[in-house]
Amino acid sequence: MDDRIRRHAEILVDHCTEITADDNVLIRAPTPAEDLVVALYERIGEVGARPSLSWSNSRAGRAYARAMDAEDFRLNDARLAAMEETDVVILIAGSTNAAETSDVAPEKSAASSRASGPILQERLDKRWVITQHPTPADAQQAEMSTEGWEQFVYDAINRDWDAQREFQANMVELLDPADEVRIVAGDDTDVTLSVDGMDAANDYAKQNLPGGEAFTSPVPDGVDGEVTFDMPVMRNGREVEGASLRFEDGEVVDHSAGKNEDVLTSILDTDDGARRVGELGIGMNRGIDEFSYNMLFDEKMGDTVHLALGKAIEECVPEDREFNESDTHVDMLVDMSEDSRIEVDGEVVQRNGTFRFEDGFESE
């Protein structure tokens, strides 16, 4: 077995989830990730924990969704029960066909998300991590060779996460006490987000592998302005290009897209919370320097900001603050590499992709 796969498994078990002998571990993976599953079972066995495996299959999921009526989607009680008995969840992505579910009607995808909401909530109460196993299909989507994609994935994963945590702490220290963040990029993005009373957090590969962002949850009614997401959004195998949103008092009041606008509409129509921002994330992983059409990597890029429509981040919302509830959480990216700035309480903390605590920062 490739030593990089064994290292991947070690990071998942030892760093991301800190599995112990007392843990029940649920692994959900596609069949192309079999080598990583085997490596995980080996490492979990060395720890003495108890793993269980749930294979995912996009072809089967497509067949089921196309056969269902949207109003017939309902909670899978068996999956919920399994999640309730789990201590640690490891979710692995990796496709044989990245567009397998592209002909599933968007309203069915939204209905499935609503039905699975209690399972998502239960999982978020566990120790969990999402990661990627490299496959040729995902390499093709990223417009890379198979070997190039593999190296890209492992370079992003096998990092000094202690050093990454310290670098990102600089941004967390700015965000945590802040009242307001403003994002300006080009002529089409100028949006302000109230973060008053919210907590900022540091993603150094505890729940996402790779990690690499500082993030918080905005006040639900505290987002105003316009934002154009100039990087594509992949949703259920369909690519949304040129997505644009206009916010008033926290809610999306107008939206458009240059391609697959119906997919964007279906996201917004998931529930009331899907029309509000649940997360503001600032990418800080300098080891990811190429757009790959894979949000797990793209949202961590150092020259990006992402807003997520839908469910807020629990660790960022104190008990005395309003929490944005939703059965979806969809990240969308803004390119901050040029003609852009991030302001925190009126002070520029990033300009054209360079943070003020990095060499090369231009204050004006």
Side-chain angles (χ1 to χ4, degrees):
M1 181 182 294
D2 191 327
D3 286 341
R4 297 175 301 178
I5 297 176
R6 283 200 168 89
R7 178 59 182 153
H8 190 176
E10 289 173 359
I11 295 172
L12 287 166
V13 172
D14 301 337
H15 171 76
C16 300
T17 56
E18 300 182 29
I19 292 171
T20 71
D22 294 329
D23 288 326
N24 292 314
V25 183
L26 174 62
I27 301 170
R28 182 168 174 80
T31 52
E34 182 180 1
D35 282 350
L36 179 55
V37 171
V38 171
L40 278 169
Y41 263 64
E42 181 178 44
R43 181 63 190 137
I44 291 169
E46 291 169 350
V47 171
R50 298 170 299 278
S52 61
L53 177 61
S54 173
W55 289 113
S56 58
N57 186 299
S58 58
R59 288 184 62 204
R62 169 188 176 274
Y64 177 75
R66 285 173 59 86
M68 286 282 283
D69 292 327
E71 60 270 19
D72 289 338
F73 282 92
R74 55 193 182 276
L75 178 64
N76 186 320
D77 294 325
R79 285 185 58 200
L80 178 60
M83 191 65 71
E84 290 172 342
E85 295 300 318
T86 294
D87 301 302
V88 176
V89 183
I90 298 175
L91 303 174
I92 303 171
S95 60
T96 53
N97 179 355
E100 187 65 59
T101 58
S102 60
D103 54 0
V104 173
E107 60 269 20
K108 292 187 179 183
S109 299
S112 178
S113 293
R114 287 192 293 270
S116 300
I119 300 172
L120 171 62
Q121 183 57 56
E122 186 67 28
R123 191 255 291 174
L124 292 174
D125 290 336
K126 311 295 182 180
R127 303 198 317 272
W128 59 271
V129 63
I130 298 173
T131 193
Q132 179 81 35
H133 182 73
T135 67
D138 294 321
Q140 188 172 32
Q141 179 174 279
E143 299 179 350
M144 300 181 192
S145 67
T146 301
E147 182 178 354
W149 171 242
E150 289 175 353
Q151 195 60 51
F152 177 87
V153 169
Y154 293 124
D155 283 349
I157 285 170
N158 189 11
R159 298 184 62 78
D160 183 340
W161 291 111
D162 289 335
Q164 189 70 35
R165 181 190 67 240
E166 292 176 6
F167 173 62
Q168 292 168 185
N170 292 293
M171 192 67 221
V172 173
E173 289 174 3
L174 295 171
L175 275 180
D176 200 46
D179 294 326
E180 183 179 89
V181 178
R182 182 184 181 194
I183 308 297
V184 180
D187 297 327
D188 301 320
T189 293
D190 190 343
V191 60
T192 58
L193 306 98
S194 172
V195 293
D196 181 31
M198 297 302 199
D199 295 332
N202 189 338
D203 167 26
Y204 55 100
K206 299 300 286 186
Q207 294 178 331
N208 283 196
L209 183 64
E213 63 175 286
F215 61 96
T216 188
S217 285
V219 176
D221 61 358
V223 181
D224 290 280
E226 298 185 4
V227 56
T228 294
F229 300 97
D230 40 17
M231 295 183 175
V233 179
M234 295 299 297
R235 187 69 173 170
N236 298 317
R238 300 178 70 191
E239 183 179 36
V240 181
E241 291 184 350
S244 181
L245 305 175
R246 182 163 63 88
F247 292 91
E248 291 182 4
D249 297 325
E251 185 176 5
V252 176
V253 295
D254 191 21
H255 70 279
S256 64
K259 179 181 179 181
N260 287 327
E261 185 176 313
D262 61 321
V263 177
L264 179 60
T265 301
S266 73
I267 293 169
L268 295 167
D269 288 345
T270 301
D271 49 38
D272 290 342
R275 290 185 170 268
R276 297 182 183 274
V277 178
E279 178 193 5
L280 162 65
I282 299 172
M284 300 185 69
N285 188 335
R286 295 300 187 197
I288 303 173
D289 59 2
E290 187 173 353
F291 184 71
S292 65
Y293 291 88
N294 187 309
M295 190 58 68
L296 182 63
F297 295 82
D298 295 337
E299 69 173 3
K300 314 302 191 315
M301 288 171 57
D303 294 345
T304 64
V305 162
H306 59 276
L307 304 182
L309 293 173
K311 190 176 183 68
I313 309 295
E314 291 191 359
E315 66 183 293
C316 296
V317 185
E319 291 184 0
D320 62 344
R321 290 296 184 178
E322 183 181 358
F323 186 91
N324 192 56
E325 291 282 3
S326 178
D327 289 329
T328 194
H329 182 95
V330 181
D331 296 296
M332 296 189 284
L333 289 174
V334 179
D335 182 357
M336 301 294 290
S337 61
E338 58 184 25
D339 194 20
S340 69
R341 67 185 186 273
I342 301 173
E343 298 178 9
V344 175
D345 292 337
E347 181 181 357
V348 177
V349 300
Q350 187 201 68
R351 188 182 299 278
N352 299 333
T354 303
F355 295 100
R356 77 174 193 184
F357 42 83
E358 289 184 297
D359 292 339
F361 174 72
E362 298 177 0
S363 60
E364 296 181 1

